[in-house]
Amino acid sequence: MASVPDITDTERWVIQTTLRERYGREPAYQLADADIRLHAADRELTTCPVFFWQADDGCSFVLFKTGEQHYRCQFFYKPYKQMGTGIEEYDDLAECAVAILQAQADYAAEQRGDLPSAGP
């Protein structure tokens, strides 16, 4: 089983810059590892490096590095209800980060009643 490469300085810079633009201040994020299935049929878990941060409204964000230039993302307010962008994997970290921030902003606006519900 191939290991997932660690997060690079360039990837850190991308996240710092994207979060600074979104929140208007120096971002506070953590680096961690998560054990996930890279493919639905996998029986074994693969350790992947992740970026993790929390927004002021209590929303948590996780961006997983799943390979060389491969990323997944999700956000959640409660661990049992995880949400994403509808795209399983990105090949561009900036696109992944912007997409998850936009998905969360849309979700929050919908919850406030600022956007019509996308559901049935």
Side-chain angles (χ1 to χ4, degrees), residues 51-65:
F51 291 97
F52 172 82
W53 71 92
Q54 285 189 306
D56 292 338
D57 68 353
C59 184
S60 298
F61 295 84
V62 182
L63 270 71
F64 304 86
K65 182 173 182 177

Side-chain angles (χ1 to χ4, degrees), residues 38-114:
L38 291 181
H39 309 284
D42 287 353
R43 299 185 92 177
E44 299 294 320
L45 300 176
T46 300
T47 301
C48 297
V50 301
F51 291 97
F52 172 82
W53 71 92
Q54 285 189 306
D56 292 338
D57 68 353
C59 184
S60 298
F61 295 84
V62 182
L63 270 71
F64 304 86
K65 182 173 182 177
T66 57
E68 190 68 43
Q69 295 186 356
H70 292 282
Y71 310 94
R72 296 180 188 170
C73 56
Q74 64 185 34
F75 70 93
F76 56 91
Y77 290 89
K78 299 185 186 303
Y80 59 84
K81 186 176 182 188
Q82 300 161 2
M83 294 163 274
T85 63
I87 296 174
E88 184 174 335
E89 195 164 85
Y90 292 85
D91 61 6
D92 182 275
L93 180 58
E95 181 182 352
C96 181
V98 169
I100 197 65
L101 289 167
Q102 186 61 55
Q104 184 273 334
D106 290 348
Y107 174 83
E110 185 179 298
Q111 295 301 303
R112 290 190 308 268
D114 296 343

